[in-house]
Amino acid sequence: MEKPKNRVFSGVQPTGNLHLGNYLGAIRNFVGLQETHECIYCVVDLHAITVWQDPKELAANTREVAAAYIAAGIDPDKHIIFNQSKVSAHAELAWILNCVARIGWLNRMTQFKDKAGKDREQASVGLYAYPVLMAADILAYRATHVPVGEDQKQHLELARDVAQKFNNDFNVPDFFPQPEPLIMGPATRVMSLRDGTKKMSKSDPSDYSRITLRDDADAIALKIRKAQTDPDPLPETVGGLEGRAGASNLVSIYAALSGLTQADVLKEFGGKQFGVFKPALAELAVAKLSPITSEMKRMMESDQGYIDTVLANGAERAQAIAGPVNKRVREIVGFI
Ligand code: TRP
């Protein structure tokens, strides 16, 4: 059976409110891997339903993530874009791996504790098993590299443990490769525009906390103008940003969008007031984001057929890879 050397797998959940953090922290980095890797980018709808999703919105959000992938520059002819629920190997393999993973491992997952909150008894069983489904996603393609943000590193560790235990339990050394994390460049942690100590999040009640990929130029500029800062001018050095979460976040967003280092940004804006910096940041954000957001809007409003064709075609190609892996797993486990 073929052993890939450079196969990337990653996923984004279709839970709505795709924002600047999703773009800078994930999708943009996916684009850059296309030259060097064989890439499989998934819209993880099975993961999305671990918390309640309105069915109509789930469908629209699934198309929106696919549109974001395409508009950001992922080439659906050279690489694979698809939604998870279309390829049954994910769910099937997840069940088998649920029987490999240990409860003790899952009990250590910090994201479950955060997401389940105080009322853990009311969380879905799916939310608890979420990291095993993520392991199945990766292992179904025997992916070698997984671009993830900081918050998903623990889940990737679990995927590695599951792969190893499967190989050991069934005495198939090297069947599943150990997937390596690709930790994405600096400035990928985009913080809330209302509170620079909290991550930008789809679930923040304030719309002003995030720039979404549905915002038009006016909305982007307004949100940046209203972003929380402090009365001091920008510092001359990166060290001077310490203890100034709001300022630090805006500088890091400027750096990420422009491709400059934070030090370079401060070379240009150090000593200047936010009244100067914010309009410059708004202009940059609009210039970089609006080609993507307007193409997404066009596809969502008048070319849904294209999105659906990309997803159907991607699912077929994904199935061609995951199907044989799943078949081999069934044999290894002893299913007839
Ligand atoms: N859990 C990831 C997130 O919320 C999404 C995801 C699902 C994923 N399956 C994956 C990421 C496999 C990488 C690989 O961001």
Side-chain angles (χ1 to χ4, degrees), residues 28 43 112-113 125 145 154 176 198-199 212 224 263 294 305 308 314:
R28 191 179 65 157
V43 186
F112 175 74
K113 293 179 198 169
V125 175
H145 296 89
Q154 195 186 32
F176 284 130
K198 285 200 314 211
K199 247 182 93 166
T212 80
I224 291 175
S294 60
D308 291 359

Side-chain angles (χ1 to χ4, degrees), residues 231-292:
D232 295 333
L234 281 164
E236 308 278 346
T237 64
V238 177
L241 288 170
E242 214 170 303
R244 300 178 64 186
S248 169
N249 186 35
L250 295 189
V251 170
S252 118
I253 292 172
Y254 193 104
L257 287 169
S258 63
L260 297 171
T261 63
Q262 296 196 28
D264 284 335
V265 176
L266 292 176
K267 247 181 232 149
E268 192 177 340
F269 291 99
K272 301 218 167 95
Q273 295 290 344
F274 284 101
V276 175
F277 181 63
K278 280 182 169 178
L281 176 58
E283 196 184 319
L284 174 68
V286 169
K288 294 286 178 182
L289 297 177
S290 65
I292 296 166

Side-chain angles (χ1 to χ4, degrees), residues 13-168:
Q13 294 196 56
T15 43
N17 275 339
L18 265 187
H19 55 70
L20 186 63
N22 301 120
Y23 176 65
L24 291 177
I27 298 172
R28 191 179 65 157
N29 300 289
F30 296 177
V31 177
L33 293 166
Q34 297 181 97
E35 291 298 316
T36 46
H37 295 74
E38 172 194 354
C39 302
I40 304 170
Y41 294 127
C42 191
V43 186
V44 289
D45 48 7
L46 298 175
H47 277 104
I49 63 164
T50 57
V51 297
W52 171 252
Q53 303 297 324
D54 176 86
K56 278 207 185 73
E57 282 173 26
L58 179 65
N61 291 334
T62 298
R63 293 193 176 99
E64 186 183 34
V65 175
Y69 283 161
I70 300 165
I74 294 164
D75 181 343
D77 295 325
K78 295 209 181 93
H79 300 275
I80 296 177
I81 294 175
F82 77 110
N83 59 312
Q84 193 183 23
S85 63
K86 277 211 177 78
V87 178
S88 62
H90 293 255
E92 285 180 42
L93 186 57
W95 180 258
I96 294 169
L97 298 181
N98 273 333
C99 302
V100 173
R102 305 288 94 181
I103 288 177
W105 300 359
L106 289 178
N107 282 343
R108 289 197 281 275
M109 296 294 116
T110 58
Q111 187 169 73
F112 175 74
K113 293 179 198 169
D114 292 346
K115 283 200 184 172
K118 282 200 192 71
D119 202 359
R120 207 175 290 182
E121 300 278 308
Q122 285 304 317
S124 72
V125 175
L127 187 66
Y128 185 69
Y130 176 120
V132 182
L133 177 59
M134 180 164 157
D137 296 342
I138 299 164
L139 300 178
Y141 301 87
R142 299 162 108 206
T144 54
H145 296 89
V146 182
V148 282
E150 206 58 42
D151 64 327
Q152 296 297 314
K153 265 168 76 181
Q154 195 186 32
H155 290 162
L156 193 61
E157 278 302 317
L158 183 107
R160 294 166 60 93
D161 291 344
V162 170
Q164 175 116 56
K165 187 168 192 307
F166 181 94
N167 292 352
N168 287 345

